[in-house]
Amino acid sequence: MSLPPEKASELKQLIHQQLSKMDVHGRIREILAETIREELAPDQQHLSTEDLIKALRRRGIIDDVMKELHFVTDSVEQELPSSPKQPICFDRQSTLKKTNIDPTRRYLYLQVLGGKAFLEHLQEPEPLPGQVCSTFTLCLHYRNQRFRSKPVPCACEPDFHDGFLLEVHRESLGDGTRMADSTTMLSISDPIHMVLIKTDIFGETTLVASYFLEWRSVLGSENGVTSLTVELMGVGTESKVSVGILNIKLEMYPPLNQTLSQEVVNTQLALERQKTAEKERLFLVYAKQWWREYLQIRPSHNSRLVKIFAQDENGINRPVCSYVKPLRAGRLLDTPRQAARFVNVLGYERAPVIGGGGKQEQWCTLLAFLCRNKGDCEDHANLLCSLLLGYGLEAFVCVGTKAKGVPHAWVMTCGTDGTITFWESLTGHRYIHKPTNPDEPPVAEQPKPLYPYRTIGCVFNHQMFLGNCQPSDAVETCVFDLNDESKWKPMSEEAIKSVCAPGATTSLPPFPPLCASTIDASVTSNEIEMQLRLLVSEHRKDLGLTTVWEDQLSYLLSPALASYEFERTTSISAGNEEFQDAIRRAVPDGHTFKGFPIHFVYRNARRAFATCLRSPFCEEIICCRGDQVRLAVRVRVFTYPESACAVWIMFACKYRSVL
């Protein structure tokens, strides 16, 4: 496995530091002197490398060095209430002996041994050493454990060589501390969800494939080891097109004392599929009956956005209630408003569509959304609703339209006092809903809605689905008394539970836990700031202007950026007085100060700079002309789970006013 030059030099430096710390060089010199003095004949001048290694081994030097080495395994940082163990990820040179594993637990060792037939990258040239290229990353989720492979260059035969150690255990019936045997593991129907992400040279991510691996075939294999060839299909409109093949090896550890017959395994899987298909068939029959009844209330209901099923990234129709589930963020997010901010900074991107013809529908599974770090409004709304349910709020996803009849999804919470609050998952804004009364006389003052929503067809969460059957579906006149069946037609909670409750069917993808950010906020802030300074200096040089930076003025901008992010999260403004006072002191009499803050959810400095230049206010600062011009720029990166981040940038200048 080749290393980039900077990594190789870093590794050499670490080895040198370790050897210096143990004074290995001094001990080798002493042993070399002793060996020459004691073991060589007076007429023999040459000491071979083999002789020296034998002498070092005999005196225990090599053993001492090996004892000091610690093999560190890559792991996904996370806070799991139900699974305190950190998942372990191996590279191709690792073995099971190199990590501390619990001998009383059962593990599934999944190895990805390369890929082939990724024909879209057939003409991709071999990347040169150190060259930035597009990469593939494989993300896995299994029973509250998440893993991520090392990025590999995109190629027709991508060089995946990673191993993942998945802990297999039951969390119920008091079996959490017992090693799972073959029969117990056969009853664990959770699949391994694999998501393949492509990252281009600009850091933009694309969802390539989403696959659910049925791993229990290994229980009927000889010695508990089996090899599989997994064909990955595309997503959305390409869900019937193969994108590539992965070679996978599965191995149980410790080895199984007793394997099951393949016939028993196949029978169990067939029974599960049959049971799931029957539940889904019965729900579909019920949903059709419910829809017929809904249309009989009022014929105009046919044009309302009542969304009972939605297609996921694999083109599979699933009940919308299955996309939502109470989700606890552990210690990664502290408040519902902070959760709203986290969802807001995840990127917004409509599902890609080839050609025209309107919007392509694609509701992503949560793992695919989190790994890609961006999604459509429905993905944002489903995640925000799940997080708010986790905080104990009564939350629902609303499906309706915005201005000009554009379909949209947002979140609603119902307070115990009857207060209805709308949460816009794409912006983090919150709106209190006060319905207008259409029967009031025209002179009566009506509350003017501040929210952008026009119509609402239905609301749902993990347990309830309600269709709006009020005379008008306009949001501003809607009454959200969800218990009033004359206003909201409910679906049977039992029917929803039969297909959407955890473990109800084997076709439901389990919800993954959130992972802590891997971004160092201070380092990233400095990097972006240095890049922006360079870009500004080059831009001014092209205009024939010199650039003088004032570090103290740049530092004084920090409180303002922190205040802006605090306000986005809490809706409370704080610290502005101190910032203004500091700026007044820093700007002498007769000088003018100008500042321009801007916010991004990506970390590409060049792209951010190009966007800033499109603002006349910012361009005026960057291209400032005058006497004693001093420029400043400050960048502050605020990190959130899943390596999402809010990037605040402020450009500023001060100059002497000359009339």
Side-chain angles (χ1 to χ4, degrees), residues 295-439:
L295 292 182
Q296 286 170 9
I297 298 171
R298 202 174 284 109
S300 62
H301 285 180
N302 194 38
S303 61
R304 296 190 179 183
L305 277 176
V306 179
K307 194 83 178 155
I308 302 173
F309 294 93
Q311 283 192 356
D312 65 11
E313 66 266 23
N314 291 324
I316 296 171
N317 273 312
R318 296 203 283 118
V320 291
C321 296
S322 67
Y323 289 89
V324 174
K325 175 193 166 186
L327 181 63
R328 288 166 56 178
R331 298 189 186 278
L332 301 179
L333 297 167
D334 295 320
T335 66
R337 295 193 188 191
Q338 195 178 15
R341 178 60 173 156
F342 156 59
V343 176
N344 157 222
V345 298
L346 290 170
Y348 168 64
E349 181 181 83
R350 293 176 63 171
V353 60
I354 299 172
K359 181 182 175 183
Q360 165 68 27
E361 181 188 76
Q362 181 180 302
W363 291 32
C364 280
T365 54
L366 183 55
L367 184 68
F369 177 38
L370 294 176
C371 293
R372 192 166 57 132
N373 247 205
K374 59 186 175 186
D376 213 331
C377 61
E378 294 89 357
D379 303 322
H380 286 80
N382 290 334
L383 175 56
L384 178 56
C385 183
S386 298
L387 288 166
L388 296 182
L389 286 168
Y391 281 110
L393 301 179
E394 188 180 10
F396 297 86
V397 175
C398 304
V399 179
T401 62
K402 294 195 295 185
K404 299 181 181 177
V406 177
H408 191 62
W410 66 98
V411 179
M412 170 184 81
T413 53
C414 306
T416 52
D417 59 353
T419 303
I420 301 297
T421 307
F422 293 148
W423 303 63
E424 177 47 63
S425 56
L426 296 180
T427 63
H429 293 158
R430 297 164 67 255
Y431 308 97
I432 303 298
H433 171 66
K434 293 177 180 174
T436 58
N437 187 350
D439 299 326

Side-chain angles (χ1 to χ4, degrees), residues 539-540 543 545 613 618-625:
H539 186 73
R540 287 178 61 84
L543 298 174
L545 300 171
L613 282 178
C618 188
E619 190 193 24
E620 190 180 321
I621 292 171
I622 292 171
C623 307
C624 181
R625 298 171 182 266

Side-chain angles (χ1 to χ4, degrees), residues 86-155:
Q86 294 290 326
I88 303 158
C89 172
F90 300 90
D91 64 26
R92 71 179 78 177
Q93 297 174 332
S94 299
T95 67
L96 290 174
K97 295 176 184 176
K98 287 185 180 178
T99 184
N100 296 320
I101 60 175
D102 187 342
T104 65
R105 288 296 183 96
R106 183 79 68 189
Y107 295 91
L108 175 65
Y109 185 41
L110 184 152
Q111 291 175 276
V112 185
L113 304 173
K116 57 187 178 184
F118 284 80
L119 299 180
E120 192 176 326
H121 302 278
L122 190 60
Q123 305 299 326
E124 204 104 345
E126 190 77 20
L128 299 171
Q131 180 186 2
V132 178
C133 62
S134 299
T135 59
F136 282 139
T137 307
L138 192 63
C139 304
L140 275 72
H141 167 234
Y142 177 70
R143 292 176 70 78
N144 249 16
Q145 304 163 75
R146 285 183 59 186
F147 308 83
R148 182 182 286 265
S149 74
K150 292 184 292 293
V152 299
C154 292

Side-chain angles (χ1 to χ4, degrees), residues 250-267:
L250 299 175
E251 179 181 354
M252 297 307 303
Y253 185 85
L256 295 171
N257 297 326
Q258 178 185 5
T259 57
L260 304 170
S261 72
Q262 199 65 52
E263 187 181 352
V264 170
V265 175
N266 292 340
T267 303

Side-chain angles (χ1 to χ4, degrees), residues 114 119 145 168 190 207 343 375 444 464 481 514 538 554 563 631 655:
L119 299 180
Q145 304 163 75
V168 185
D190 293 17
L207 178 61
V343 176
M464 299 170 68
D481 180 3
L514 297 181
E538 287 177 354
S554 296
S563 175
L631 292 172
Y655 58 93

